[in-house]
Amino acid sequence: MFYLTTAIDYTNGSPHIGHAYEKVLADVIARYRRLRGDETYFLTGVDQHGQKVQQTAEKERVSPEEFVKRTTQKFSALWEKLDVKYDGWAETIDERHKHCVRTILTELKDQGQLYKKTHSGHYSVRQEQFLQDRDRDESGNFGPEWGEVVEIAEENWYFKLSDHTDWLKNFIETNPDVIIPHFRVAELLNALEKNSGLDLCISRPKERLRWGIEFPFDENYVTYVWFDALINYISFAGYHAAPGSDLPDFHQLWPSNKRPVHIIGKDILIPAHGIYWLCMLHAMGFTDEQMPILLVHGWWNIRGQKMAKSTGNVIDPNELSNQFSVEAVRYYLVRDIVTGKDSDFDLDRLVMLYNTELANELGNLCNRALNMSQKFTAGVLNIGGPLAEEEIALQKSLTDSIADYQKAMDEFDISKGLEALSRHIVYCNQYAERMAPWKLAKDPANTDRVATVLYHLAESLAHATVLISPILPDAAEKLASQLNRPDLTALKLSDLKWGLLTDGHTISQPAPVFPRIVLEKAD
Ligand code: MSP
C-alpha cells in the first residue's frame, strides 16, 4: 500500500492558495500512483485544536466547537470543488483520534518517557507562549510584537525528546533519502545540533488553554496542539483504534517494511516533523524501516513576499477557480512550481501556461485528431497504409515522452512530468503541420495516407488522455468520451502500448475541452 498524507490545515481561518497547492499536489501524486498500479490510500484533513482557534472563536463570540465546524466546512468544500479525492479525512476533534492520542500519552508515561516539571521564564501574555532567547531582537529585548512580557513559573508535562535525538541524527545521516528534496537534510541536521538536550513540553494548563485533548492522567492539562496534530497520521490510519472501529487496518497502511509519504510545507519540517514527529514515532517503538518519507514542498509567494492576511495579499482558490476553471487552477498549481522550491504566484503565467499548453497544444491536437477524422474518414479510425519514417519517429517521441513523464512523476516532479508530456503534444502538432492531412485529403489517391496520419494523432491523444488524468481528471474524462473510449481513464501505465485505438474504431463528436482564456484588459 502506498500511504500518502498531507499536513492538516489550521481551522482558524479560510483556505488560501498555499493550502490548495499542497492538497492538489497530493491528489495528483495519489492519482498518479494509482495509474502506476499501486494500491494507494490518501489521508488529509484539518487541525482543529489550539490557542489560535480558541482565540479566534472568542473574538467571533462562538464556541470553539461551533467555530471549527464552520471553518472545517470551508476546507472540505474547497477540496470537493477542486476535485481533491481523499480516502480518509482527519479531524482532530474526532473521538477516534482523541482515543488514540490518550492511549499514546498513557503508554509513553508508563514507559517513563514523560515527566512533569516547573519551567520559569519569560512569557508573552499577548501570544500566550513562553519565549526563548532566540525571540529577542538585536538589542536583546523582546520586541513589541510580543506585547506584555512577564516572568512566570508553570508546571507542565514534558516528553523526553532528548532521549531520541542521538538516534535521530544517526538515522538521518544513514537514511538521507527520507527527506526530499535532499538539500533539506543539512538544514535538519543543523537544527538537531542546536536542539540537542532539549525536551518537548507537551501540555498546556487548562487555565490558559481549554481547547485541546485532555490528558488521560491529569485533568488539569490539555495536549499541546502539535503533539495532538502529528498523531493524526497514525490515528486515522487505525493505530490503537478501539475494537470495532471503522478505521483502516493500520498494518496494511503502515507495514513494517514500507515508508508512508508525508507531504508538508518547508515551514513545518523543523522542528515539528523532522524532529518531534520522528522522535515521537521512535519512542512509540516504530522501527527505522517504518520512518516516513518527508516530502517537503516550497511556498507560493506573491512578488517574492509571503502571502499573509495582514498585508492583504492572499489568493483565494475559490475565486480563482470561479474565474478561470478548476482545471486551469489545478494545472497552474502543479505546473509552475518545482516540487521543493518556492514560486511566485503570477496570474499572467497562469493564463499563458493554460493558453499555450492546454488550449493551443493539447486542445489543438484534440481538435485536429477528432475534427479531421470526422471530416475525412467519417469518424472511423484506420491505420491506413505502410508507416513512413515520420510515423516511426512519432512513435519514438511518444515512448521517450512516457519514459520521461514516468521518471519525473516517480520523483514527485509534476512540472517536469507535464513538460515531458507537452513535448510529445508539440511534436504531434508539428507532425500534423508537416503532413497537412487537409491538403492530402484533396486527392483520393491519398486516402490511406490521410488515415495513417489521423490515426497517429488520435492514438497520441489517447495516450495523452491517460497521462494527463492525474492532473486534470475531469478533462481526461471529456477527452476519453470524445475518443469514444471512456475506459481510457481506468487504464494503468503498463497498459500504455501503441495501439490503444483499434483499426476501425469509431470516435464521438468533438467539443472544445480547453476554451482559451481571454482576459479583459482594463483601459
Ligand atoms: N496545522 C499545521 C500542520 C499540522 S500537520 C500535523 C499547519 N497548518 S497550516 O494551515 O498553517 O499549513 C498547512 C500546510 O499549508 C503546511 O504544510 C504549510 O506549509 C502549507 N502552506 C501554508 N502556506 C503556504 C504557501 N504560501 N505556499 C505553499 N504551502 C503553504 O501548519
Side-chain angles (χ1 to χ4, degrees):
M1 180 73 79
F2 178 71
Y3 177 37
L4 181 74
T5 69
T6 69
I8 49 174
D9 298 317
Y10 284 131
T11 45
N12 61 324
S14 304
H16 60 57
I17 204 74
H19 301 120
Y21 163 58
E22 184 175 276
K23 292 356 170 227
V24 170
L25 172 66
D27 183 60
V28 169
I29 293 173
R31 288 176 190 266
Y32 168 71
R33 295 303 286 233
R34 292 198 179 98
L35 181 63
R36 250 180 60 131
D38 300 343
E39 218 186 322
T40 299
Y41 191 92
F42 166 25
L43 175 77
T44 190
V46 279
D47 188 353
Q48 297 165 310
H49 287 126
Q51 205 132 42
K52 290 187 208 157
V53 167
Q54 181 173 301
Q55 283 167 344
T56 325
E58 269 165 20
K59 255 191 243 153
E60 300 205 1
R61 297 177 189 281
V62 285
S63 68
E65 287 88 346
E66 186 54 39
F67 179 74
V68 293
K69 222 168 122 189
R70 222 193 281 160
T71 45
T72 294
Q73 219 272 327
K74 292 190 196 173
F75 285 87
S76 53
L78 179 64
W79 307 149
E80 192 173 341
K81 178 169 185 165
L82 293 181
D83 224 351
V84 171
K85 284 236 159 43
Y86 42 81
D87 304 288
W89 178 249
E91 294 192 1
T92 51
I93 59 167
D94 190 316
E95 279 308 322
R96 298 171 302 174
H97 170 73
K98 291 184 183 173
H99 167 81
C100 179
V101 172
R102 290 191 185 119
T103 311
I104 290 169
L105 283 169
T106 306
E107 274 183 2
L108 292 178
K109 177 164 172 282
D110 292 348
Q111 290 161 14
Q113 302 263 359
L114 307 185
Y115 63 93
K116 220 171 171 183
K117 109 176 160 180
T118 302
H119 173 74
S120 337
H122 292 95
Y123 181 79
S124 153
V125 179
R126 182 204 275 176
Q127 299 295 342
E128 300 194 37
Q129 71 178 75
F130 275 100
L131 301 178
Q132 317 232 348
D133 276 341
R134 62 162 185 257
D135 299 319
R136 294 177 193 272
D137 57 23
E138 297 99 62
S139 48
N141 299 318
F142 295 111
E145 69 275 22
W146 299 112
E148 186 190 359
V149 175
V150 290
E151 282 199 60
I152 62 165
E154 191 175 276
E155 195 176 30
N156 269 304
W157 284 95
Y158 285 77
F159 162 54
K160 287 188 182 166
L161 189 74
S162 56
D163 274 7
H164 304 275
T165 42
D166 283 346
W167 160 80
L168 180 57
K169 186 167 174 288
N170 181 51
F171 171 71
I172 299 291
E173 278 168 352
T174 47
N175 296 274
D177 294 348
V178 297
I179 312 288
I180 305 176
H182 188 71
F183 71 85
R184 299 259 175 223
V185 172
E187 227 169 89
L188 178 55
L189 287 172
N190 259 338
L192 259 175
E193 209 60 45
K194 284 194 198 126
N195 193 83
S196 75
L198 289 183
D199 285 339
L200 176 65
C201 177
I202 57 161
S203 69
R204 294 294 181 265
K206 276 198 187 158
E207 304 105 62
R208 69 178 168 99
L209 179 67
R210 298 198 65 80
W211 185 236
I213 302 177
E214 188 180 286
F215 263 56
F217 42 81
D218 196 340
E219 60 178 19
N220 297 322
Y221 292 89
V222 296
T223 314
Y224 170 46
V225 66
W226 270 105
F227 192 89
D228 153 3
L230 287 161
I231 288 175
N232 93 87
Y233 302 132
I234 53 178
S235 63
F236 288 96
Y239 187 73
H240 283 339
S245 129
D246 52 357
L247 287 165
D249 171 5
F250 184 69
H251 297 288
Q252 261 209 317
L253 255 58
W254 199 308
S256 53
N257 57 356
K258 184 136 176 58
R259 304 188 190 284
V261 174
H262 296 326
I263 301 187
I264 56 169
K266 63 176 186 178
D267 56 318
I268 56 173
L269 170 66
I270 298 166
H273 286 80
I275 302 182
Y276 301 165
W277 180 229
L278 298 186
C279 288
M280 283 164 69
L281 287 170
H282 188 244
M284 286 178 231
F286 281 61
T287 62
D288 286 11
E289 291 70 34
Q290 280 180 301
M291 288 297 146
I293 289 174
L294 302 178
L295 174 58
V296 188
H297 64 76
W299 270 37
W300 281 100
N301 296 320
I302 299 189
R303 283 181 287 278
Q305 300 293 307
K306 195 172 156 175
M307 247 182 258
K309 241 194 286 177
S310 51
T311 49
N313 63 349
V314 269
I315 306 276
D316 175 355
N318 260 307
E319 279 175 23
L320 198 70
S321 42
N322 290 344
Q323 192 182 355
F324 297 109
S325 83
V326 166
E327 301 294 84
V329 172
R330 282 183 66 103
Y331 191 77
Y332 180 68
L333 284 182
V334 289
R335 175 67 184 88
D336 208 22
I337 191 167
V338 175
T339 311
K341 303 233 172 95
D342 288 355
S343 188
D344 253 342
F345 188 88
D346 184 337
L347 268 191
D348 289 339
R349 283 190 59 80
L350 181 151
V351 173
M352 184 278 285
L353 286 164
Y354 175 94
N355 279 345
T356 313
E357 295 178 1
L358 296 179
N360 289 0
E361 293 295 351
L362 186 53
N364 210 3
L365 172 62
C366 174
N367 184 35
R368 282 174 158 160
L370 304 182
N371 272 326
M372 287 197 284
S373 294
Q374 289 295 356
K375 199 162 160 194
F376 302 130
T377 62
V380 180
L381 299 177
N382 58 78
I383 297 168
L387 303 189
E389 284 288 312
E390 281 279 4
E391 283 76 47
I392 313 252
L394 182 142
Q395 291 186 22
K396 177 163 186 323
S397 154
L398 177 62
T399 314
D400 292 350
S401 151
I402 295 176
D404 290 352
Y405 166 94
Q406 181 165 357
K407 180 168 185 297
M409 297 294 280
D410 282 348
E411 290 168 359
F412 308 110
D413 194 344
I414 318 299
S415 180
K416 211 164 169 194
L418 284 170
E419 269 169 24
L421 172 59
S422 230
R423 235 184 20 241
H424 181 63
I425 294 166
V426 169
Y427 190 100
C428 288
N429 282 320
Q430 290 169 347
Y431 162 81
E433 294 289 331
R434 282 195 303 276
M435 301 302 110
W438 51 91
K439 284 189 196 153
L440 291 173
K442 290 185 182 149
D443 181 351
N446 292 329
T447 308
D448 271 2
R449 191 70 202 128
V450 171
T452 303
V453 172
L454 295 182
Y455 177 82
H456 276 72
L457 296 180
E459 176 69 13
S460 288
L461 180 64
H463 282 76
T465 300
V466 177
L467 297 173
I468 199 89
S469 64
I471 298 102
L472 305 179
D474 189 50
E477 271 182 30
K478 288 185 185 143
L479 292 170
S481 132
Q482 295 187 20
L483 279 161
N484 194 21
R485 282 289 304 273
D487 61 307
L488 280 180
T489 52
L491 292 189
K492 303 282 174 232
L493 268 188
S494 55
D495 298 322
L496 289 187
K497 302 205 173 63
W498 190 261
L500 293 179
L501 304 174
T502 46
D503 207 19
H505 175 74
T506 307
I507 54 158
S508 304
Q509 283 303 322
V513 178
F514 302 110
R516 248 187 106 73
I517 299 175
V518 182
L519 277 190
E520 284 176 28
K521 284 262 176 263
D523 292 329

